[in-house]
Amino acid sequence: MTAASTPELEADRQALIGLIKAEAVFHGDFTLSSGKKATYYVDMRKLTLDHRAAPAIGRLVLDLVKDLDGVVAVGGLTLGADPIANAVMHESVHAGHPLDAFVVRKEPKDHGRGRQIEGADVKGKRVVVVEDTSTTGQSALKAVEALRREGAEVVAVAVIVDRKTGAQAAIEAEGLRWLASIDLDDLGLQPQ
């Protein structure tokens, strides 16, 4: 189990855990984006795009990254990271420490400027990749690879829900910090 840095943020975290348990955990037979099979699915997009959860998500992820020196932007692989990055960006303004957001396309555009990373300029900047939940870490690592090609210094990967299925080891093997707000113990689930 993890905990937020203040009683107010811990209250946000507990409220989010309640919403996840009630509305975002589905039981059945699922194939994850990694190709792995699971008997439950944590559908965080249901909450990252929900007005009740998004502000708390922004505050909690901001809390995870607040002690990382020099970080100027957050984002990750579209679509899962987009609402998280936006929530963090908005909450960072309220907190008085503004961070920008960026989006990493799965492939560079084949028209216009041909960009793969939209939003904040990341070249030479310290950034954090965000993700809703991670099984193997491969989506986050795809974003990390694109950011490094653009000259960004990726310092960490921050996830809302850690599935405890190897993503942390994969991220740390790339020399990055792994940060998670909620884990399976918090949700009463077992790793699969």
Side-chain angles (χ1 to χ4, degrees):
M1 285 191 188
T2 59
S5 68
T6 69
E8 295 81 13
L9 286 168
E10 184 57 25
D12 277 345
R13 197 175 82 82
Q14 291 303 320
L16 182 59
I17 289 167
L19 280 171
I20 294 169
K21 286 179 175 181
E23 300 183 25
V25 176
F26 296 88
H27 295 276
D29 293 320
F30 299 96
T31 302
L32 305 175
S33 64
S34 63
K36 292 185 176 187
K37 302 293 183 187
T39 59
Y40 63 82
Y41 183 72
V42 181
D43 186 359
M44 285 304 298
R45 287 185 189 103
K46 190 164 173 31
L47 294 175
T48 60
L49 295 165
D50 186 298
H51 72 280
R52 297 167 300 160
I57 287 168
R59 288 188 294 270
L60 290 166
V61 174
L62 185 59
D63 187 48
L64 290 175
V65 305
K66 70 179 176 18
D67 294 329
L68 300 174
D69 289 335
V71 168
V72 298
V74 298
L77 198 62
T78 197
L79 170 84
D82 300 350
I84 301 165
N86 282 317
V88 172
M89 178 181 63
H90 288 286
E91 291 300 325
S92 73
V93 171
H94 293 302
H97 301 287
L99 295 176
D100 288 321
F102 58 85
V103 173
V104 180
R105 295 175 183 273
K106 292 182 179 162
E107 300 294 331
K109 281 174 45 174
D110 61 359
H111 60 282
R113 293 172 54 203
R115 296 175 56 95
Q116 187 169 7
I117 300 170
E118 300 289 353
D121 178 21
V122 298
K123 186 173 185 170
K125 307 283 176 53
R126 290 171 59 85
V127 301
V128 173
V129 169
V130 295
E131 197 167 37
D132 51 5
T133 184
S134 190
T135 303
T136 63
Q138 293 310 302
S139 292
L141 290 174
K142 185 171 183 174
V144 168
E145 180 182 323
L147 287 158
R148 286 177 172 166
R149 275 196 310 268
E150 286 293 316
E153 181 186 347
V154 183
V155 297
V157 172
V159 300
I160 300 167
V161 177
D162 180 359
R163 289 183 57 92
K164 293 185 164 185
T165 52
Q168 179 175 358
I171 299 303
E172 289 175 345
E174 285 295 316
L176 302 169
R177 288 195 53 192
W178 172 260
L179 306 165
S181 186
I182 296 167
D183 65 25
L184 295 184
D185 293 336
D186 296 315
L187 300 175
L189 298 170
Q190 296 298 313
Q192 300 186 58

